[in-house]
Amino acid sequence: MTQAQTRRSRGRLALAAAFFVQGAVFALLVTRIPAIQDRYGVSDALLPVFLAAVPVVAGVGSVLAERLVRGVRPSGVLRWSQAATCLALVGVGGGRGLAQLALALVAFGLAVGMLDAAMNMLGVSLERAYGRSIMLGFHAAYSLGGIVGAPLAWLGAHEDLSLLVLYGPVVAVLLPVTLVASRWYVDAGKHQEGQRRPDGEGHPDGEEPPTGEEHAGAGAAGGPVEGAVSWRLLLPLCLVMAFAYIGDSTVSNWSAKYLQDVLGSSEQLATVPYNVYMVTTLVGRTVGDLVVRRLGAAFVVRAGSVVAALGFAVVTVAPGSWSGIAGFAVLGFGLCVIVPQTFVAAGRLFPAVSEAAVARLNVFNYVGFLVGSPLVGALGGAWDYRGAMLVPMVLVLVTLACAGSFAGRGRYGGGHERPRAVDVG
């Protein structure tokens, strides 16, 4: 194994650790929202305002990350934004009034926006350096973090721990992990024009960097080679990202109510769908990279869209609780592949400005999160919750019309990965 390969392998593990920590921290926040409401005496009318502020400010953070990486390496943005996210979580747990809660949530949202953008910037560039699909593995680490974080939150609720007692020790463990791991983050392609890249760095097996003509081929047909991100080309991916998160937020916000109120389950059983969804998401992302390498990103995204639509269809017509749970499980297998591959597709479309493309695309993560829950809730209240589930089903099928944006061209990212004699890292 060459020095460059060792560096990439360490960078890959370090970035997976960052995704894991972020998954755990986010789960610890969202699963304790009722406790946060009780601690600060937030009214039911005011709670949606506080909750909506987080993704709105996160979108600002993602835009800020795009500007920061013009002068600062994405690894630096990730290092300090992740530290800020962990500390903001402690601030949420330790505040003493609504003003302090608002300040902590704004800080959390701003840091999360920068963190999400920087993590995916590094993931896209590291996948390009490897020359094969690894992005789904990073998002699998995020899912695993969520699965670990949720039981910790349950334990805090079961033992009646204060938010500060719950969040403090967890952050005391996770924060040093992220700071140590950040030493091995890998920034790809950060060399000035005319400067020679160190031998083998950023290109597997010591390959020479692509020529200008080959670099042009790295984008989709007709895609830009240099300069600004084209919104015309990025917009299909933005829609895919937003629709995927509308589907995801539907599961996270409405699966329990749907099972209990529509399918007549018990309160305890109503907690199962989201847990099953998280598990199938983890499984799908764990094996997803292998499928992408074999069949290509466009095929996997199309298949994921169809499977996700099937899951929503099963949920819509489910006659009872367990068939509804099965539908949410299928949903996890379908939706899990779409978001990671959308980030990769953005980097592939704009290889010269991939950081800007990823940061702008990341904003639509929060757009989907903001729109999804109120949309399904409003339709369910005014019409019928079974019918409301048809809306995210139709939206996720729109991805099929945008699947051409996932088809790679040139040196990397087509239906077939760059051949490799040895699989390192």
Side-chain angles (χ1 to χ4, degrees):
M1 184 181 291
T2 67
Q3 184 177 359
Q5 289 171 336
T6 300
R7 181 169 173 264
R8 284 198 301 271
S9 296
R10 288 177 178 173
R12 183 179 178 183
L13 290 173
L15 188 56
F19 271 88
F20 173 86
V21 169
Q22 172 58 0
V25 167
F26 192 74
L28 283 165
L29 177 73
V30 298
T31 55
R32 297 297 287 142
I33 286 173
I36 294 170
Q37 182 180 12
D38 291 342
R39 172 181 172 81
Y40 291 96
V42 181
S43 67
D44 289 340
L46 193 57
L47 182 63
V49 177
F50 277 86
L51 297 181
V54 175
V56 169
V57 177
V60 175
S62 189
V63 173
L64 180 59
E66 177 189 348
R67 296 184 177 275
L68 284 174
V69 297
R70 295 173 187 174
V72 180
R73 292 176 182 267
S75 60
V77 176
L78 173 55
R79 178 183 297 116
W80 299 116
S81 61
Q82 186 145 56
T85 301
C86 291
L87 294 176
L89 182 68
V90 176
V92 170
R96 296 186 177 181
L98 286 179
Q100 292 183 10
L101 173 63
L103 182 63
L105 288 176
V106 167
F108 186 90
L110 193 64
V112 162
M114 292 189 288
L115 167 60
D116 285 345
M119 279 197 312
N120 285 291
M121 288 175 193
L122 290 181
V124 166
S125 63
L126 196 56
E127 174 163 319
R128 185 185 299 122
Y130 263 85
R132 57 190 171 90
S133 180
I134 61 172
M135 189 68 163
L136 279 157
F138 294 133
H139 285 258
Y142 179 91
S143 298
L144 180 60
I147 290 173
V148 170
L152 289 175
W154 176 87
L155 180 64
H158 184 265
E159 297 298 327
D160 199 24
L161 301 177
S162 72
L163 291 170
L164 186 59
V165 171
L166 172 63
Y167 292 158
V170 173
V171 168
V173 172
L174 295 182
L175 183 55
V177 169
T178 63
L179 292 176
V180 171
S182 69
R183 297 175 56 195
W184 293 288
Y185 292 155
V186 175
D187 292 281
K190 292 293 182 180
H191 296 272
Q192 298 299 322
E193 187 175 352
Q195 224 178 350
R196 188 177 183 274
R197 184 184 298 270
D199 291 342
E201 183 179 330
H203 295 278
D205 308 322
E207 292 181 7
E208 289 298 316
T211 64
E213 184 177 349
E214 289 171 323
H215 198 179
V225 181
E226 303 288 347
V229 173
S230 165
W231 278 108
R232 181 179 63 82
L233 292 175
L234 189 63
L235 183 59
L237 295 178
C238 294
L239 293 176
V240 171
M241 180 69 75
F243 294 160
Y245 270 99
I246 287 174
D248 180 81
S249 65
T250 298
V251 180
S252 60
N253 289 288
W254 295 105
S255 60
K257 181 176 178 61
Y258 187 86
L259 215 73
Q260 191 170 353
D261 293 356
V262 178
L263 301 183
S265 78
S266 65
E267 183 178 354
Q268 291 76 20
L269 190 60
T271 65
V272 173
Y274 187 59
N275 291 325
V276 171
Y277 171 80
M278 290 170 63
V279 170
T280 56
T281 296
L282 172 62
V283 173
R285 287 174 171 174
T286 300
V287 302
D289 283 320
L290 297 175
V291 183
V292 172
R293 295 172 200 170
R294 180 75 61 179
L295 300 174
F299 175 87
V300 168
V301 169
R302 287 190 183 100
S305 301
V306 172
V307 171
L310 176 62
F312 274 119
V314 171
V315 169
T316 301
V317 301
S321 300
W322 288 106
S323 54
I325 291 171
F328 286 114
V330 172
L331 253 174
F333 280 121
L335 286 179
C336 70
V337 299
I338 297 175
V339 169
Q341 287 305 307
T342 305
F343 281 120
V344 173
R348 188 181 298 127
L349 277 170
F350 305 97
V353 286
S354 62
E355 288 92 350
V358 168
R360 295 182 189 187
L361 180 63
N362 186 56
V363 173
F364 288 82
N365 159 355
Y366 311 117
V367 171
F369 189 86
L370 270 174
V371 171
S373 180
L375 176 64
V376 172
L379 289 173
W383 177 27
D384 174 72
Y385 278 103
R386 286 188 185 271
M389 289 293 169
L390 294 174
V391 175
M393 182 190 79
V394 171
L395 292 178
V396 79
L397 283 174
V398 174
T399 300
L400 294 173
C402 303
S405 298
F406 294 85
R409 302 287 189 270
R411 289 172 63 88
Y412 165 64
H416 310 286
E417 305 282 341
R418 186 186 291 142
R420 300 179 59 85
V422 179
D423 189 16
V424 296

